[in-house]
Amino acid sequence: MASREGSSGLAESPQAPVRERVLLDKGWRFMKYASKEEADGLIYDVRPEIKDHEDGRPADAKPTEAVAVESDKSVLKPWILPTANDFIKDPAKRFRRPSGNPGGDFPFVQTGFDDSAWQAVRLPHDWAIEGPFMAGEDAAVGGGMGRLPSPGVAWYRNKFDIPASDAGKSIFLDIDGAMSYAMVWLNGHLVGGWPYGYASWRLDITPFVVPGGENQLAIRVDNPPASSRWYPGGGLYRNVWLTKTHPVHIGQWGTRITTPQVSEAAARVDLAVSIDNDSDKDAAVTASTEIYVLDAEGRKSGEVVARFAPLHAALAAGESAELESTVTVENPRLWGPPPTQAPNRYVAVTTLEQDGRTLDRYETRFGIRELRFDAERGVFVNGERIYLQGANQHHDLGALGAAFNVRAAERQLEMLREMGANAIRIAHNPPAPELLELTDRMGFLVVNEIYDVWERKKTPLDFHLIFPDWHEPDLRAFIRRDRNHPSVIMWSVGNEVGEQYTDESGAAVAQRLHEIAKEEDPTRPTAAAMNYAKPHMPLPGVMDTISLNYQGEGIRDAPAYAGLKGIRTAPLYPAFHEAFPDKLIFSSENAAAVSSRGEYLFPVTGEISAPVKDGAGGDPQSGQVSAYELYTTPFGSSADKVFASLEKHPYVGGGFVWSGWDYLGEPTPYYSSRSSYFGVIDLAGFRKDRFYLYQSHWRPDLPMAHILPHWNWPERVGQVTPVHVFTSGDEAELFLNDESLGRKKKGKHEYRLRWDQVKYQPGELKVVAYKDGEVWATDQVHTAGAPARLDAEADRPVIRADGRDLAFVTVKVVDEAGRLAPRADSELRFTIEGPGELVATDNGDPTSMVSFASAERPAFNGLGLAIVRAKAGQAGEIKLTVSAEGLQDAVIDIAAEG
């Protein structure tokens, strides 16, 4: 079974489509080997053999040491490398496919193989997310990669029909992402593959297709251990498509649209169209392109806005050509970030004809906008300075894992926007294509990043192993795929790479990547995020911008960090600005603050930023970190310190907090956990207190005030329990049980108000915030009573019955008065009735080893989450019941509409 749509997912005209895109989401069978010893020998390449634990080495081996190599394997690399040829500029460096068909006799690739015992799955699919989690120091997968079974070798199989009427067409398999080292067979023939797990890529399957019959697809995926610093997921975790075209057609990612001249009165729009002649005959063709407005939902609307002059080409058999044209759009609707601008978009519809017959139709969404990068004032969009209030985002979606889901990603962006974010840095790999569709539609600015490593590894089996062969095709394909997205403002070609340490040789690698990026897209600047390279070193001079991780605000330079070992630097914004006065500087990663939602540990530091330590912001027994939002990694800074540093250096264009959401893996400081503590929002999507600190600073015109901590401390009666307030006001007065504890005013470079000597008494905390002497906002926190019932609320009351849309249901443990019980850990049980499915549950606890697939889990500090999906094609009412021993149930209805 499959879904069909037009060339870019837009509504098609009534005539039969000349280009067909078929979503291969259903009908898949999946099998993962129980161990690497059981796996077949059809490998991409030999690689270092390591022990099955996360640091990738036996105890007596050096970190960089390969202790053995695989043997008795069939190496398929020579047959896979030619897949990259369309993205290798120099013909002499392209790969020639050897003769032969390796793996052709392997049972899993055969049409007649019985896979009925394999697991039935629907794509996107992350094979590891349901667990089980692997606890303990000697776990095969440790905290860095999320303690989930992502490593391993697996196969996917699917059958699809190609009607006889498709004979003579060009047919392609498009894979948006396969983690990792994917290799593809069709009808027993090895077609090709791609090793980088985050890449999107295409295979021409035309020579292997059987029109008028059933076709057997088999995909082998091999995800190495010790291959990532975070949770990578596993398998076909993004969409897979069949694309059918006439042999003479517009190429893969075959249009390029730029807007070099933009004003309110008119905009020049430049178009390049790549045409492939895959037929055995010469072809004379004409390409005509019309521009339409897209509405807010991405639908083509209205009349033609502008027409490019027709382009003509004579292509010999097997030849490709690129045609260029220019048109003026009068009174353009510009794309820009809210709230001061609107993300207006257009679609260019290109029609390819031969002798009056339509051969192909291709749709390209784009936005008209002007970007400018000023070394003294930052980023300008359409002439307006846009200060980067950004968040770094890893690719997982919490309890859903790496399997991409549009609604889950949209929810993440919605909450970041509520906080005040206007920009996203993709960390540290190409995103799902649909994510950029969301950022286009919602108006986020995007720093689009491709690599975490180049030639120098960070983990033993990461992608440094393939960088020499694949960096050029990976980078060219990445840019061609994403270049028409107006939200993308910059290409980041590396993150904290080891080549920072290798002087001129590292800079030479950077130069090569920079040149490739500029060849593919001269309209956007390049970046490489640097956490070590200094102004006098060669690497910073290569890129168009200065992209700093943590160095801008200084590393280990505040009083509380004085005794720590490691790199210590003063704030380096001034030194970089002096060395590169013509380059934009921005903070690509800052903060690296850590906390667990709702966990408050005592005593509380009196500093504005302090490193988390056992007994000082961290509890090694519980594995939790204090939510007073003052504690950081040893190299990090609190939000308060970051805000002050940026304000003291106004030429810096803004920055990106590490990180917007918690993510699976990298659980600094407690690697016994499963997920990070870095997020401003926890893994389940519940706001930490830090959310309100950022909101108070990034949305100064929003009346808001927020008190922390909660006020349920029966063991602390009479003890000092500091109270902090985040507000967009400039001063505030705090009351405990109606008694004033004083009115405080923010000083210069102060971002919170602190009452550090409050002695706990149960009752009510209330704050009244002021701005310019007038009441601005209030907040209250009450001592809650004993848990009495459960409340449940869905983020949306109606979802689509398409098998993909989701409802996120927040469950609260509350007292008789409806107040959150902030320390409740009641065991929640979820049951569902009607045409829906319980996809996953979570609670945001980074230490929890309960499977996300479980229908039972404890609340974490009073909150739990259920993720509900409507069954495809089944409209009706979905009823979710949440129960806990001794508490009144919560029942919620969600409507599923077709």
Side-chain angles (χ1 to χ4, degrees), residues 459-676:
T459 62
L461 299 182
D462 63 24
F463 292 112
H464 81 280
L465 296 172
I466 61 169
F467 186 86
D469 288 328
W470 288 88
H471 68 272
E472 181 185 359
D474 275 331
L475 182 53
R476 291 191 190 277
F478 163 69
I479 293 176
R480 289 183 201 176
R481 189 195 73 169
D482 295 346
R483 62 192 173 187
N484 291 321
H485 288 282
S487 58
V488 175
I489 64 169
M490 190 181 301
W491 306 113
S492 178
V493 298
N495 173 68
E496 299 180 355
V497 294
E499 283 75 3
Q500 293 176 97
Y501 298 84
T502 59
D503 204 61
E504 294 292 347
S505 65
V509 179
Q511 183 67 37
R512 171 66 175 144
L513 296 174
H514 168 77
E515 290 172 356
I516 293 171
K518 301 307 280 190
E519 287 171 1
E520 291 294 328
D521 179 16
T523 71
R524 293 178 176 92
T526 58
M530 300 173 291
N531 67 332
Y532 172 77
K534 302 301 184 289
H536 67 275
M537 297 178 181
L539 193 145
V542 173
M543 300 297 164
D544 295 324
T545 64
I546 301 297
S547 173
L548 297 180
N549 286 9
Y550 310 106
Q551 298 194 85
E553 56 268 16
I555 297 175
R556 298 181 180 90
D557 72 320
Y561 300 76
L564 300 182
K565 297 179 180 179
I567 298 169
R568 189 180 312 278
T569 63
L572 288 181
Y573 291 134
F576 274 101
H577 190 48
E578 182 179 358
F580 302 99
D582 298 324
K583 290 190 178 187
L584 169 76
I585 298 175
F586 71 101
S587 178
S588 39
E589 287 184 27
N590 59 48
V594 287
S595 62
S596 305
R597 176 189 50 79
E599 294 284 324
Y600 304 93
L601 306 181
F602 304 94
V604 178
T605 181
E607 303 290 341
I608 66 163
S609 184
V612 62
K613 301 176 183 177
D614 293 348
D619 182 349
Q621 300 302 315
S622 67
Q624 305 295 356
V625 178
S626 178
Y628 270 94
E629 310 299 10
L630 293 165
Y631 299 97
T632 77
T633 59
F635 58 84
S637 301
S638 69
D640 310 64
K641 184 170 180 274
V642 170
F643 294 158
S645 180
L646 289 170
E647 287 193 338
K648 291 173 184 176
H649 304 99
Y651 49 82
V652 178
F656 297 81
V657 58
W658 190 269
S659 58
W661 282 58
D662 275 336
Y663 54 92
L664 290 165
E666 208 172 21
T668 303
Y670 296 121
Y671 269 66
S672 58
S673 296
R674 66 173 196 195
S675 53
S676 81

Side-chain angles (χ1 to χ4, degrees), residues 768-781:
V768 179
Y770 297 84
K771 195 163 192 175
D772 298 326
E774 301 291 332
V775 173
W776 179 247
T778 64
D779 190 30
Q780 300 88 29
V781 177

Side-chain angles (χ1 to χ4, degrees), residues 189-212:
H189 299 278
L190 177 61
V191 184
W194 204 286
Y196 189 32
Y198 297 103
S200 296
W201 43 284
R202 163 174 283 187
L203 294 174
D204 184 355
I205 61 174
T206 310
F208 311 104
V209 163
V210 178

Side-chain angles (χ1 to χ4, degrees), residues 260 545 731 823 834 870:
T545 64
E731 59 182 315
R823 300 171 78 171

Side-chain angles (χ1 to χ4, degrees), residues 21 23-25 28 122-127 156 173-184 193-203 217 219-223 232-241 252-253 395 402-405 429-435 463 474 477-478 481-482:
R21 197 168 185 235
L23 178 62
L24 296 180
D25 57 341
W28 290 89
R122 182 174 180 176
L123 302 189
H125 174 244
D126 177 355
W127 74 44
Y156 291 83
L173 183 73
D174 291 327
I175 295 181
D176 288 345
M179 189 64 68
S180 52
Y181 290 93
M183 300 187 290
V184 177
W194 204 286
Y196 189 32
Y198 297 103
S200 296
W201 43 284
R202 163 174 283 187
L203 294 174
L217 181 63
I219 302 177
R220 183 188 190 272
V221 183
D222 180 0
N223 214 22
L236 300 180
Y237 70 106
R238 294 178 182 167
N239 283 327
V240 174
W241 307 83
Q252 182 188 18
W253 307 315
H395 78 135
F404 190 80
N405 179 274
N429 45 258
E434 295 87 352
L435 181 65
F463 292 112
D474 275 331
F478 163 69
R481 189 195 73 169
D482 295 346

Side-chain angles (χ1 to χ4, degrees), residues 679-795:
V680 178
I681 300 166
D682 76 15
L683 197 72
F686 301 136
R687 299 163 186 82
K688 299 182 185 179
D689 293 288
R690 209 175 337 142
F691 177 97
Y692 301 99
L693 179 55
Y694 278 90
Q695 187 181 67
S696 70
H697 185 60
W698 282 355
R699 299 184 66 184
D701 296 329
L702 174 71
M704 58 81 60
H706 176 78
I707 297 173
L708 67 143
H710 65 71
W711 212 237
N712 273 58
W713 301 105
E715 75 279 18
R716 297 189 61 81
V717 173
Q719 296 183 42
V720 171
T721 306
V723 176
H724 292 188
V725 170
F726 305 146
T727 178
S728 52
D730 49 39
E731 59 182 315
E733 186 172 10
L734 183 68
F735 298 86
L736 174 56
N737 296 328
D738 295 325
E739 179 181 343
S740 176
L741 301 183
R743 183 161 166 167
K744 294 179 180 286
K745 187 176 181 67
K746 290 180 185 175
K748 188 175 183 179
H749 303 312
E750 288 184 352
Y751 308 94
R752 69 173 74 201
L753 296 169
R754 302 174 65 147
W755 287 260
D756 281 338
Q757 300 304 316
V758 178
K759 292 184 178 180
Y760 176 77
Q761 294 294 334
E764 180 196 63
L765 276 176
K766 178 180 178 180
V767 68
V768 179
Y770 297 84
K771 195 163 192 175
D772 298 326
E774 301 291 332
V775 173
W776 179 247
T778 64
D779 190 30
Q780 300 88 29
V781 177
H782 299 85
T783 302
R789 70 172 194 266
L790 302 175
D791 283 352
E793 182 179 5
D795 63 332

